[in-house]
Amino acid sequence: MSPLLWSSRTLPVSLYEKFLLRFGPQSIQTLFLLSPVGLVYPTESKFISRLREMEKTNKQESIPLIPSTLHELDTMMKLCCHNPPNLPRQILRGFLANRIPDNDFYKEGQSLCFYPQSRSLQSHLKGILSQAPCQVFWLFVSQVLDVSGAAVIQKELPLCQVDILDDCGHSVALERPGSIAKLMMDFVMS
């Protein structure tokens, strides 16, 4: 197997850990993490605070990252984008129709990412993430995961490159795809 460039966006570290156990550290050439979950943030975002409250009370309400109506999709776009795109309703309906059949998968993924069992990245930082060159991206105005997590990563992994993107919400692929691609290419080429 050729070494991989591993790019992870809001995935629990357990997935990376399982990959390493199966294929070994030599299987990862470079590791990119985008606002990784599993940290104890000095400042928690309103979104995470809301999830924690839902977790404590076992309250079942709509989750902004898992829309099932156009109104919920609009809420998700406002949560995930610093400058939400103004897309025609027909495009939004198509996006929603494509996404709804997988909402159970997204709910399961969210429980893996944002609930207690996923808060293990910080305890594994030096062991797991020191296996390959690592670049971590934080989004300065993300309402989903607070930028204060960047300081946690920087403290635990001083050799890891941390880049903070200004004027960008949680959906970097929608708002700043060229910026993140250039930063990744520069890191790989250095």
Side-chain angles (χ1 to χ4, degrees):
M1 175 176 174
S2 298
L4 298 174
L5 296 174
W6 180 287
S7 179
S8 171
R9 176 168 185 240
T10 318
L11 286 176
V13 74
S14 57
L15 183 61
Y16 176 64
E17 193 173 23
K18 287 177 184 175
F19 183 88
L20 277 181
L21 288 173
R22 178 148 185 212
F23 298 106
Q26 71 281 359
S27 61
I28 302 291
Q29 176 185 333
T30 306
L31 178 65
F32 301 103
L33 299 174
L34 178 62
S35 296
V37 297
L39 302 174
V40 177
Y41 294 84
T43 305
E44 234 177 36
S45 70
K46 287 181 186 176
F47 173 75
I48 297 295
S49 296
R50 179 177 170 205
L51 288 180
R52 302 262 186 270
E53 189 58 36
M54 287 172 59
E55 181 183 22
K56 286 180 195 171
T57 61
N58 283 331
K59 192 174 182 182
Q60 295 297 317
E61 57 184 80
S62 68
I63 300 165
L65 294 181
I66 306 171
S68 54
T69 67
L70 282 173
H71 175 71
E72 290 172 357
L73 178 59
D74 187 54
T75 301
M76 181 185 90
M77 296 296 266
K78 288 177 182 168
L79 175 69
C80 292
C81 297
H82 179 57
N83 296 303
N86 188 12
L87 299 172
R89 293 302 254 185
Q90 187 174 2
I91 300 281
L92 294 174
R93 280 190 196 101
F95 177 81
L96 192 59
N98 187 55
R99 195 175 159 95
I100 286 175
D102 296 320
N103 273 356
D104 287 339
F105 170 78
Y106 294 126
K107 285 176 185 170
E108 185 178 337
Q110 180 167 308
S111 71
L112 288 172
C113 289
F114 296 111
Y115 293 115
Q117 68 272 24
S118 72
R119 299 179 196 147
S120 62
L121 176 60
Q122 201 158 334
S123 62
H124 291 84
L125 279 174
K126 290 182 181 161
I128 295 173
L129 300 181
S130 62
Q131 304 285 334
C134 181
Q135 182 178 28
V136 179
F137 300 97
W138 284 92
L139 312 165
F140 190 72
V141 290
S142 174
Q143 298 178 68
V144 177
L145 296 169
D146 192 81
V147 71
S148 64
V152 174
I153 296 275
Q154 197 77 65
K155 180 182 175 206
E156 296 291 327
L157 292 171
L159 298 178
C160 177
Q161 181 172 319
V162 176
D163 289 299
I164 299 174
L165 283 83
D166 295 328
D167 298 324
C168 188
H170 193 69
S171 291
V172 68
L174 194 61
E175 292 189 274
R176 306 271 305 275
S179 298
I180 200 161
K182 181 178 181 342
L183 288 167
M184 292 170 105
M185 287 302 298
D186 291 348
F187 183 76
V188 170
M189 301 309 272
S190 66

